Amino acid sequence: GENVEQHPSTLSVQEGDSAVIKCTYSDSASNYFPWYKQELGKRPQLIIDIRSNVGEKKDQRIAVTLNKTAKHFSLHITETQPEDSAVYFCAASMRGNAGKSTFGDGTTLTVKP
Amino acid sequence: DGGITQSPKYLFRKEGQNVTLSCEQNLNHDAMYWYRQDPGQGLRLIYYSQIVNDFQKGDIAEGYSVSREKKESFPLTVTSAQKNPTAFYLCASTLYRGTDQPQHFGDGTRLSIL
């Protein structure tokens, strides 16, 4: 089955700096790659996603890049703010996989003021 | 206001006891999922259902059971066979069957052993 590895497990940056989180996946049939943000004790919420027919997607300070050849995708957060502090999860899923998404283990991002 | 409601927020289980976690959605979503979240780990799939009266095992189904009698409801029972039930449980849904689409999550239930 699909295996998703996420790095780093923790990341600490200064406010205003950029943060990058990377995920690698194993199954080349995966075609949908969402990123979720989970604040402490709250539900995960989708912040951005990308499909395999697109190489990059941007939404204000957040961007995701996908390299299908190398089977990895990355979350980029620019001009970080303290409210960006949370756990970020990547996931990979494929069409026709009957409901199964595989999640990374999460990255705890701390933005220091 | 549409969304997913999980209850209770906190639940305590005694040895040998079965407990049921509730998940209700008013999004008119077809598919629903249950995940287990342990500290420092990602979400692991317990069970999922893509249509009423049908459900499939996920990666860690042992010790758990589900039902999907109504489109809106997907309760999870943690049985006494689950020897390590302490975790944060998240219910999710997607508009259509299949997973190449965003998942919408509930606020979770934190289960502990007494």
Side-chain angles (χ1 to χ4, degrees):
Chain A
E2 175 66 277
N3 183 50
V4 175
E5 294 190 359
Q6 183 172 345
H7 298 281
S9 57
T10 60
L11 180 59
S12 181
V13 299
Q14 209 64 39
E15 182 177 0
D17 288 350
S18 295
V20 180
I21 303 170
K22 181 176 175 180
C23 288
T24 59
Y25 60 99
S26 60
D27 197 326
S28 56
S30 290
N31 68 339
Y32 177 66
F33 308 94
W35 285 91
Y36 295 90
K37 175 183 180 182
Q38 185 178 27
E39 297 178 21
L40 191 63
K42 295 192 176 180
R43 67 180 75 186
Q45 291 191 302
L46 178 78
I47 54 171
I48 197 166
D49 56 8
I50 192 166
R51 299 184 187 275
S52 58
N53 59 347
V54 175
E56 183 174 358
K57 185 176 177 181
K58 191 173 181 180
D59 182 4
Q60 299 183 348
R61 297 186 296 108
I62 294 173
V64 56
T65 58
L66 171 65
N67 183 326
K68 286 191 296 182
T69 303
K71 289 190 280 191
H72 66 73
F73 56 109
S74 299
L75 176 70
H76 305 255
I77 306 174
T78 59
E79 301 171 22
T80 54
Q81 302 165 3
E83 50 265 39
D84 294 330
S85 297
V87 179
Y88 292 82
F89 292 97
C90 64
S93 62
M94 63 186 81
R95 183 183 296 277
N97 199 23
K100 298 178 87 170
S101 288
T102 302
F103 285 80
D105 284 344
T107 296
T108 301
L109 173 65
T110 303
V111 180
K112 295 179 285 188
Chain B
D1 198 18
I4 298 180
T5 301
Q6 288 187 241
S7 62
K9 189 164 184 164
Y10 299 96
L11 187 58
F12 297 91
R13 195 193 86 171
K14 296 179 182 178
E15 289 289 335
Q17 185 182 42
N18 293 353
V19 292
T20 298
L21 285 60
S22 170
C23 178
E24 303 278 331
Q25 54 103 354
N26 61 2
L27 300 167
N28 199 31
H29 283 184
D30 283 343
M32 298 185 74
Y33 312 82
W34 273 106
Y35 292 95
R36 171 178 171 141
Q37 187 175 27
D38 293 284
Q41 296 190 34
L43 281 63
R44 292 185 290 167
L45 184 64
I46 304 172
Y47 268 98
Y48 60 100
S49 167
Q50 298 198 72
I51 195 169
V52 175
N53 292 322
D54 188 45
F55 48 84
Q56 288 79 39
K57 293 181 179 180
D59 300 318
I60 55 166
E62 186 174 349
Y64 300 97
S65 66
V66 293
S67 63
R68 186 92 186 272
E69 297 176 2
K70 299 186 299 182
K71 187 175 184 178
E72 305 79 26
S73 179
F74 191 40
L76 173 74
T77 296
V78 184
T79 75
S80 57
Q82 173 49 248
K83 297 307 178 188
N84 183 24
T86 298
F88 189 53
Y89 291 86
L90 283 163
C91 178
S93 69
T94 53
L95 181 58
Y96 304 115
R97 300 164 66 173
T99 54
D100 52 343
Q101 56 186 304
Q103 298 205 12
H104 298 256
F105 289 89
D107 282 332
T109 292
R110 192 166 297 279
L111 176 62
S112 303
I113 295 182
L114 276 179

